[in-house]
Amino acid sequence: MATTVLPVPAPQPRPGGSPGPDAGPGPEEQPPAEGAGPRTDGPRPGHARAHPGGSPAPAARPRLRPRSRPLAGRAARGRRFRRVRHLGPNWYAVVMGTGIVGSAGAGLPVAMPGLRTVCAAMWALSLALLAVLLTARALHWTYHRDRAREHLRDPGTAPFQGCTAMALVSTGGGTLLVGRDWVGPDVALALGAALFAAGTAAALAAAVAVPLLMVVRHRVEEASPVWLLPLVAPMVSAAVGPLLAVRLPPGQARTTLLAGCLGLFGLSLLAALLVLPLVFGRLVVGGPPVAALTPALLLALGPLGQSTTAVNAFADVVPGLPYGGVLAAVYGLPVMGFALLWLAWSGALVLRARRRGMGFAMTWWAFTFPVGTCVTGLEGLARHTGLEALRWAAVVLFGLLVAGWLAAASGTVRGLVSGALPAAPGAAPRGPRRGTARTR
């Protein structure tokens, strides 16, 4: 970088007569008048002061000043984009929760006028939200990289990195299901495949990196349902992959894609089975979580509903699979039974927290995507078994999904309009101390 050499000016006297250590030339400083004697308040710039013995002292060292200051420009732009400083990866839950309304509504086993159009509109909204969030998160990483790295080091925020992958893949799946009504089958296939590929790569990265960070870097005191987020992301890819496979010609490409989806299914399911007992054990030993975190308990529905959706998708598209529908029912019915039990537990704890003053938080988006996966799981089971009870169960649960989306979306819009969101991190309320237990 080119530099300019500037001489160091002599210090000027303070109003009291003594020069300050950091004083510089003031605007009132004028050159000495004609005929005046030499200045006695210090050497002129660039001249050396003589020692008492008569030998001159070394001249003052010149100060180097850069011509350009790119860091200052970046800081100014960072102040301009300060609204995205606290935009964490958890905001991708908005995309997931919006898109699942369209995908689940498209598969309802009942005919409702205008339902397909509403579902396509929800898909379009989720696609627009995804584009906005990808741009905002890119700005976040560019101008607030320190905060982005803190998100990775925070054990409460790092698991939400899995939401990025799920937002990409779920939007791609919605494109194949209902987006084709608006953009056409060819564009839908290209866009869905691109989102699926990008989201699956991000899902595998999150499933590997986030648990490693938890082991190596993070210090956690108790299990949390958010631990499931990076582990469920591959299951979303396993459920959407068959929608792409059925559009491929028979051969190596289709078989390889289906085999990969089965591998993602097993990866996610077994990893989730490691975490679910820890989450339930924390509830039994430590009691209910703090009010703001209570909705996160519904995240446990994700691996249950999404795995049931995946096995139904496999039964629909795997060629020559004997008793595919029966296998889907044998797996899906017990799993959905436990999912409904967990939904009842979580719902009771959410109502308890609401009675105790629980206000809106971004955790309310847990009312959407996990519940929506249970809706799609019940829809697949109803299709393979023909049971009316499962059809109406899917309809009732879809009503809960819509109510949850309305509550989360309205709270988010109010927070954005008022400036309360995205919120800066505060002191997180602590739950019961580690090692405590209720004995009566």
Side-chain angles (χ1 to χ4, degrees), residues 325-354:
V326 175
L327 293 176
V330 168
Y331 174 86
L333 288 174
V335 171
M336 288 308 302
F338 179 70
L340 295 178
L341 175 63
W342 190 276
L343 177 62
W345 288 343
S346 303
L349 291 174
V350 167
L351 292 177
R352 174 182 179 272
R354 186 63 174 168

Side-chain angles (χ1 to χ4, degrees), residues 18-46:
S18 60
D22 299 322
E28 71 282 356
E29 181 179 338
Q30 302 293 334
E34 184 177 358
R39 295 172 60 104
T40 59
D41 56 348
R44 285 180 293 172

Side-chain angles (χ1 to χ4, degrees), residues 118-141:
V118 173
C119 293
M122 295 298 291
W123 163 79
L125 178 59
S126 68
L127 183 63
L129 291 172
L130 177 63
V132 170
L133 277 174
L134 287 174
T135 303
R137 286 285 293 167
L139 293 173
H140 174 81
W141 270 97

Side-chain angles (χ1 to χ4, degrees), residues 41-224:
D41 56 348
R44 285 180 293 172
H47 287 68
R49 183 189 299 270
H51 287 286
S55 60
R61 180 177 298 177
R63 184 166 52 191
L64 301 181
R65 181 179 297 173
R67 292 184 186 272
S68 60
R69 303 179 68 182
L71 294 181
R74 174 174 290 185
R77 290 190 295 269
R79 288 192 296 269
R80 187 171 57 190
F81 295 113
R82 63 183 180 274
R83 190 71 185 270
V84 302
R85 175 166 178 79
H86 303 295
L87 187 73
N90 59 312
W91 277 81
Y92 283 108
V94 178
V95 179
M96 298 158 51
T98 302
I100 196 64
V101 175
S103 299
L108 282 178
V110 294
M112 297 177 60
L115 178 61
R116 184 81 180 183
T117 303
V118 173
C119 293
M122 295 298 291
W123 163 79
L125 178 59
S126 68
L127 183 63
L129 291 172
L130 177 63
V132 170
L133 277 174
L134 287 174
T135 303
R137 286 285 293 167
L139 293 173
H140 174 81
W141 270 97
T142 302
Y143 299 112
H144 304 288
R145 194 167 299 173
D146 59 328
R147 188 64 191 147
R149 289 172 177 171
E150 289 178 11
H151 287 161
L152 292 174
R153 293 191 292 264
D154 184 359
T157 306
F160 285 96
Q161 301 294 336
C163 292
T164 307
M166 289 188 281
L168 291 168
V169 176
S170 62
T171 304
T175 305
L176 298 172
L177 289 173
V178 294
R180 55 190 173 91
D181 296 349
W182 287 15
V183 300
D186 294 335
V187 175
L189 180 59
L191 180 59
L195 292 173
F196 172 81
T200 301
L204 290 174
V208 173
V210 174
L212 282 178
L213 283 174
M214 293 170 61
V215 173
V216 177
R217 296 286 185 181
H218 298 165
R219 293 297 177 265
V220 295
E221 296 184 356
E222 56 188 22
S224 171

Side-chain angles (χ1 to χ4, degrees), residues 267-284:
L267 178 158
S268 179
L269 178 63
L270 296 178
L273 291 178
L274 295 176
V275 176
L276 282 174
L278 301 178
V279 175
F280 181 72
R282 183 256 174 255
L283 290 176
V284 173

